[in-house]
Amino acid sequence: MLKNYKTLLFDIDDTLLDFKKAEHIAFKQLLAHHNIDYTDTTFQLYLSINEPLWKDYELGKLDRATVLSSRFEQFFAHYQLSVSGKECDILYRSYLTIGNQLLDGALELIDTVSKTHQLAIVTNGVYDTQMARLKNNGLLPYFKHIFVSDKVGFQKPDKRFFDTIWQEMNITDTSSVLIIGDSLGADIKGGQNAGIDTCWINPTHQPNTLSHPITYTVDALQDLYTLF
Ligand SMILES: [Mg+2]
């Protein structure tokens, strides 16, 4: 039950904000900048290049800078365009922050739990981008503590990412902390590595392939109300 916890750690992407929506908006803008017409096929092509690169990053095979720039170099090469991957990425990330990306009821839920709990953001991503997205979607004022992997120096599920949190928030009793997120491999595994309770947002009813049980599994963020 939520009242058993003092601190709630929230993931951002596909927990509070709709990352696919953000990605879609940004991609459309980037294409327009290069005078390429948007089609679903174009977007699928981009995803088919981008997703494996991020998987390699998560496995530690590629560094972040390489992923961020080579995804666009590879994509635009399909259109015989030679671009600066780095410049494309800067532009793309500026577009990633625009538009309403809130998942249904996210702002209301955060407003509610902010009255009873200490809240923190725990996200793997680029600090400036994640900060701008929180700000543009009205979430920033609710979070005094924000942990973004590229600033922390470690990413979920690494235990050291969480060690930074305990240190910065002066948390000694981690049994009073719950992590809430959609990613089994990053949020839930990370929570387990850190020895805290976990709440998995699992709308598509994926199986738990981790070796430890998950404290709570819900279909949607709003289901947290049932844990009050
Ligand atoms: Mg997520």
Side-chain angles (χ1 to χ4, degrees), residues 11-15 156 181-183 187:
D11 168 51
I12 295 182
D13 282 307
D14 298 322
T15 295
K156 298 175 292 184
D182 69 296
S183 167
D187 305 316

Side-chain angles (χ1 to χ4, degrees), residues 41-54:
T41 317
T42 327
F43 189 54
Q44 287 311 318
L45 172 65
Y46 169 69
L47 293 180
S48 74
I49 293 167
N50 186 46
E51 282 169 7
L53 289 171
W54 282 113

Side-chain angles (χ1 to χ4, degrees), residues 97-112:
T97 65
I98 61 179
N100 174 12
Q101 307 170 6
L102 282 164
L103 284 164
D104 278 350
L107 193 59
E108 295 77 3
L109 180 107
I110 291 299
D111 184 63
T112 305

Side-chain angles (χ1 to χ4, degrees), residues 114-132:
S114 73
K115 291 169 182 136
T116 47
H117 293 77
Q118 164 168 250
L119 308 182
I121 286 288
V122 290
T123 176
N124 286 349
V126 178
Y127 184 79
D128 292 343
T129 310
Q130 298 300 60
M131 288 298 281

